[in-house]
Amino acid sequence: MERKAHWESIYTTKTQTEVSWYQPHAAKSLEIIKHTGINTSAHIVDVGGGASTLIDDLLAEGFRNLTVLDISAAALEVARQRLGARAAQEVTWIEADITQAVLPRHYFDVWHDRAVFHFLTVADDRRRYVNAANDVLKPGGHIIMATFASDGALRCSGLEVVRYNPEKLHAEFGDAFELIESHEENHQTPFDTTQKFTYCFFRKR
Ligand SMILES: C[S@@+](CC[C@H](N)C(=O)[O-])C[C@H]1O[C@@H](n2cnc3c(N)ncnc32)[C@H](O)[C@@H]1O
């Protein structure tokens, strides 16, 4: 199935709490975003944010320049409905494939991705993704990436993934980015199973 059709089908057949990646709060992401030292006027994009609750927590923390990008219109609609009026007033929503998206240059202070990059199993897609991140981030901008760990699951949502440790993920981004910190996390899925994640925080030089 084509990439967009796959994700539209997931979000139209399951509720937001019925997917393995669901978190009531994106605690680790929020913790690292706070570590960056940005202030609440910073521009943050959640790439492949889908229906994630990270956006709710960022709004609650007072951040006001927020963008959520996702390939699935249905996913974005779930988050919009949940947020109500704040969705239209305080968040920019972009329906796009990140490997093809046209985004403003040197605009964002923070690029966040949890469980999206690891679905890019084709090197050309990963190259386009990294070019996009490099292009849209301001110099000194921050990237927070969460992928399945090197000993994590081989598949998610019926799709193959590429698993990473911090060094392997850093190699994808190259010397234009400095690895600031990394963390491992055992994510408890709603089905009482565990998924091992690697979180990396890079800074654009
Ligand atoms: C496993 S989910 C993670 C969602 C969210 N980041 C979270 O942590 O809850 C993967 C998300 O990436 C989106 N996605 C997959 N491939 C994408 C692409 N090439 N461009 C943009 N979004 C994509 C999917 O629609 C889905 O919302």
Side-chain angles (χ1 to χ4, degrees):
M1 193 189 291
E2 182 250 325
R3 190 183 279 164
K4 180 174 171 60
H6 171 81
W7 290 105
E8 295 294 11
S9 142
I10 294 288
Y11 285 104
T12 48
T13 54
K14 293 173 192 281
T15 68
Q16 55 186 312
T17 58
E18 286 175 340
V19 291
S20 62
W21 54 91
Y22 173 72
Q23 302 174 288
H25 295 282
K28 179 63 75 183
S29 298
L30 202 58
E31 176 192 315
I32 304 175
I33 288 171
K34 287 183 184 170
H35 271 193
T36 64
I38 54 166
N39 63 42
T40 51
S41 63
H43 290 81
I44 303 176
V45 59
D46 190 11
V47 174
S52 168
T53 54
L54 175 63
I55 199 73
D56 310 47
D57 289 338
L58 289 171
L59 285 168
E61 291 284 336
F63 289 100
R64 50 189 185 276
N65 288 308
L66 301 173
T67 300
V68 181
L69 178 150
D70 203 280
I71 197 168
S72 162
L76 296 176
E77 190 52 30
V78 171
R80 274 200 199 105
Q81 290 293 329
R82 191 181 64 230
L83 286 166
R86 287 187 304 166
Q89 290 155 9
E90 301 177 43
V91 182
T92 302
W93 306 90
I94 302 176
E95 179 190 335
D97 182 331
I98 191 56
T99 64
Q100 293 166 19
V102 179
L103 297 167
R105 190 170 154 75
H106 292 181
Y107 180 77
F108 291 105
D109 299 282
V110 175
W111 171 289
H112 173 268
D113 168 341
R114 174 175 177 268
V116 187
F117 184 75
H118 64 200
F119 288 111
L120 301 180
T121 55
V122 175
D124 265 358
D125 281 340
R126 293 195 294 274
R127 185 180 47 76
R128 279 192 280 270
Y129 179 108
V130 170
N131 286 346
N134 201 3
D135 200 45
V136 307
L137 273 175
K138 295 174 184 170
H142 313 281
I143 303 197
I144 295 142
M145 300 287 298
T147 67
F148 279 176
S150 48
D151 57 349
L154 290 163
R155 300 175 74 83
C156 179
S157 182
L159 301 175
E160 272 181 38
V161 302
V162 182
R163 302 177 299 172
Y164 293 93
N165 60 28
E167 294 71 32
K168 183 174 168 184
L169 192 56
H170 190 202
E172 291 287 342
F173 281 84
D175 286 342
F177 297 90
E178 182 186 1
L179 176 59
I180 306 294
E181 61 185 52
S182 61
H183 305 261
E184 299 279 303
E185 184 185 62
N186 287 327
H187 165 62
Q188 297 299 320
T189 72
F191 326 118
D192 270 340
T193 57
T194 301
Q195 290 176 335
K196 288 187 175 183
F197 274 82
T198 297
Y199 282 74
C200 287
F201 165 21
F202 302 110
R203 186 170 297 134
K204 181 175 164 178
R205 293 185 202 271

